[in-house]
Amino acid sequence: MSDAPHIDKAVFTDLDTLSHFWCFKRKAVAATVSRALSNYEQQVGTTVAELKLNHQQQLTHLETEQQAQLQHLNALHQHDMAQQKQVLTTQINALEAQRIEQNLRNERLVEKVAVLDETITNTQALLSQNQASLHVLEELKQQLDVAHQQLQQDYSQLHHDNLTLSERFALLQSILSAQPSQNAGLEAFRQLLHSDYAAFAAEESSLADEAGALLILQNVLADLEQLNTFPAASGKTVVGVAGGFSSGKSEFINSFIQDKSLKLATGINPVTVIPSFIVYAPDSRICGYAKNGGNVPLSSKLYKALSHDYLAAFGFDLRTVMPTISLQAPMDEALFEHICLVDTPGYNPGAINRTEAADRSTTLELLTQCSAMIWVIGLDPAGTIAQSDIEFIRQSAFTADDVYVVLNKADVKPQEDIEAIIETVADELLFAGIGYAGMTAYSSTRRTSYATKGCTLDAFLKKHNTRFNTTSAYEEKIDRVFSAYNKALQSDIDNIQLLRVRLKDLQFRTLADSGAKALKELQPVIEFFNPQMADEARLQKLIERSQQLSTAFRTALREAITLTQPGDIAQRSTAFTPSLNVLS
């Protein structure tokens, strides 16, 4: 412990100095101060002693608490150490057991590895022995694969032939069983032509061109039969689309069809075999027409399959039983509402195949039924008009206003070549004496005209996009026939009346000039002419009969046309859609 505090000596010095100011009281003051200081020093010493005692007691108490805490912590540490030692001992014992077990496993695995090594050695020996056998088996497998592939090809060919045969049989069955729509007017017209008119023509002999009259009536009957079969073409202007093989006629027509799923077949080889009639309609439909006028709805897949090769497989010309096909499709009404396009077979001047050779005569016959013609020339082979095309166009009876020339596939030529080709073709046609309404270089795939000479293609189509009165046109033909009969019969009656007048005049003159004897000698001559003069009444009845036939034909005609109007003909069959797995 440190010593007790004492009053600093400097304080007494200061007090001594201060006492000089209070000389009269310095002893009392000094004594008082000294006592006060002594008391203070005692209090301070007492306080310090108490503080030291308290500090010593606190230190002792703290040392006791710390000792107790150390003993408690030591006990806890000893307890934890005992527990950890017990856990570690247990783990060590478990690991030792695992080690022993693992050693046993290793010993067993070593034994197994030895066995496996022996097995591998034996297996390798067996594999070496079987290597040659495996090679032989692989060669055998290759041979079997080749044989299997050949069998699959043979099976596919047999399946294809069977499907194709089934399709052809089903198509022929549908065509041969198709029946035309019943039309009382058409039947009446046919009966009049084959019965009443035949009897009238056999009795009458005045008309010199009776064969021509019969041909006109037969053509009217044929037109009525076609109209009854395909009423959608009624009143439409027929425009033929003709040209050589691969000139792009079908693709040209396709460029106007708005239904992309309904397209005429196209290709390098001849594809248009059966003539197709294409008309505007809101909904798409394809029909094949039998020889008797019945129709068979066709699917677009089957229609595209009707190529030259497909028809050749029938063994006969399918056109003898199905001569035409019709397509109704949405097109531009402003151009095609009243037009019936005819896709004719391609003209091939060097055709040697029987089916292809028939295409020329078929095309010529179809063009005689058309009011106008669009001649298509493909620019991809040579880029000019062939002499065979010129000769073919010459055979047609169209006027210059009804012929239009399309230089198709113009997209394969540069613009400057196109203009030169147009001038060359125009000169060739001019030298050949062939007139035309217009000419255009056209791309069917792009639906674009690159250059035009004369009127445009749209203007040509709009000019012919007019509806005519079918009834009036046919009535005019009937009137022309029977007017010729009436005229010929009336001419015979007039000749008889003139002969009668002249014979009377001859009798009077003979009697006046030569007497009764000469008149008697003239009597054999008069008797010779009497049978001819007696025909006047019969001829008059024939004129009445002719007028009656004309009226009957006109009545039957009107009834036939009325019954062919849309909505009057019931649908009789469903679409013929055979399996086309091989063709699609």
Side-chain angles (χ1 to χ4, degrees), residues 159 163-164 166-167 170 302 310 576-584:
H159 185 62
L163 283 177
T164 306
S166 300
E167 291 165 6
L302 177 60
Y310 188 84
F576 172 64
T577 315
S579 171
L580 287 174
N581 297 330
V582 222
L583 298 171
S584 57

Side-chain angles (χ1 to χ4, degrees), residues 57-77:
Q57 290 176 352
Q58 289 176 358
L59 285 175
T60 303
H61 179 70
L62 287 173
E63 287 177 356
T64 303
E65 288 182 350
Q66 289 177 354
Q67 188 66 27
Q69 289 177 356
L70 287 173
Q71 290 176 357
H72 178 69
L73 290 174
N74 188 32
L76 291 176
H77 177 67

Side-chain angles (χ1 to χ4, degrees), residues 197 200 204-214 480-489 492:
Y197 173 78
F200 168 77
E204 175 296 315
S205 59
S206 300
L207 184 63
D209 189 18
E210 197 162 44
L214 175 61
R480 188 165 68 249
V481 168
F482 288 100
S483 292
Y485 273 112
N486 293 338
K487 184 177 180 180
L489 290 170
D492 286 350

Side-chain angles (χ1 to χ4, degrees), residues 156-442:
S156 299
Q157 184 63 38
L158 289 173
H159 185 62
H160 173 274
D161 294 342
N162 182 58
L163 283 177
T164 306
L165 184 61
S166 300
E167 291 165 6
R168 293 175 188 142
F169 176 77
L171 178 60
L172 283 176
Q173 184 181 32
S174 299
I175 294 172
L176 296 176
S177 62
Q179 295 297 323
S181 301
Q182 296 300 319
N183 189 317
L186 180 61
E187 291 300 325
F189 194 98
R190 186 182 293 111
Q191 181 65 27
L192 284 171
L193 179 62
H194 295 161
S195 180
D196 297 52
Y197 173 78
F200 168 77
E203 185 178 354
E204 175 296 315
S205 59
S206 300
L207 184 63
D209 189 18
E210 197 162 44
L214 175 61
L215 183 61
I216 291 175
L217 293 177
Q218 288 176 338
N219 288 338
V220 172
L221 176 61
D223 291 345
L224 287 178
E225 290 174 343
Q226 184 175 359
L227 185 61
N228 183 60
T229 302
F230 187 29
S234 175
K236 297 184 184 294
T237 302
V238 182
V239 178
V241 180
F245 281 142
S246 191
S247 60
K249 300 183 299 300
S250 298
E251 190 64 46
F252 171 73
I253 296 176
N254 283 340
S255 67
F256 301 106
I257 297 177
Q258 298 172 356
D259 185 356
K260 302 304 179 183
S261 64
L262 180 67
K263 296 294 183 182
L264 279 70
T266 59
I268 298 177
N269 296 323
V271 289
T272 302
V273 183
I274 301 178
S276 300
F277 292 82
I278 302 95
V279 297
Y280 161 81
D283 301 319
S284 302
R285 190 165 182 259
I286 308 176
C287 281
Y289 294 95
K291 196 72 172 179
N292 65 350
N295 67 80
V296 179
L298 304 176
S299 67
S300 58
K301 288 185 178 180
L302 177 60
Y303 173 67
K304 291 179 181 179
L306 296 177
S307 64
H308 275 274
D309 294 337
Y310 188 84
L311 261 65
F314 279 90
F316 69 99
D317 193 350
L318 183 63
R319 289 175 293 192
T320 57
V321 293
M322 189 174 71
T324 57
I325 293 176
S326 73
L327 282 84
Q328 301 180 45
M331 296 187 289
D332 187 353
E333 292 184 63
L335 300 179
F336 298 101
E337 183 180 6
H338 304 301
I339 284 181
C340 175
L341 293 175
V342 182
D343 185 23
T344 63
Y347 161 60
N348 185 0
I352 56 175
N353 182 278
R354 183 181 63 180
T355 305
E356 295 178 3
D359 291 340
R360 176 186 175 89
S361 59
T362 301
T363 301
L364 284 173
E365 182 180 353
L366 287 170
L367 291 178
T368 59
Q369 305 174 20
C370 299
S371 302
M373 177 181 70
I374 298 176
W375 190 266
V376 181
I377 302 170
L379 293 187
D380 49 342
T384 185
I385 185 170
Q387 186 62 32
S388 57
D389 287 0
I390 293 176
E391 294 175 358
F392 200 100
I393 297 174
R394 277 176 174 170
Q395 297 181 27
S396 64
F398 298 105
T399 63
D401 293 336
D402 297 327
V403 176
Y404 198 89
V405 179
V406 173
L407 305 179
N408 199 17
K409 307 179 184 179
D411 51 301
V412 303
K413 297 289 185 180
Q415 183 65 33
E416 56 271 15
D417 292 350
I418 290 175
E419 295 175 356
I421 290 172
I422 286 181
E423 294 301 325
T424 301
V425 174
D427 292 341
E428 292 287 342
L429 294 175
L430 177 64
F431 295 151
I434 298 174
Y436 55 92
M439 180 188 306
T440 186
Y442 185 80

Side-chain angles (χ1 to χ4, degrees), residues 127-141:
L127 287 175
S128 299
Q129 293 175 0
N130 293 332
Q131 197 70 20
S133 300
L134 180 61
H135 182 69
V136 173
L137 289 174
E138 287 179 350
E139 291 181 351
L140 268 174
K141 181 180 177 298

Side-chain angles (χ1 to χ4, degrees), residues 44-65:
V44 168
T46 302
T47 302
V48 169
E50 290 176 354
L51 289 173
K52 286 182 178 180
L53 179 62
N54 290 335
H55 179 68
Q56 186 64 34
Q57 290 176 352
Q58 289 176 358
L59 285 175
T60 303
H61 179 70
L62 287 173
E63 287 177 356
T64 303
E65 288 182 350

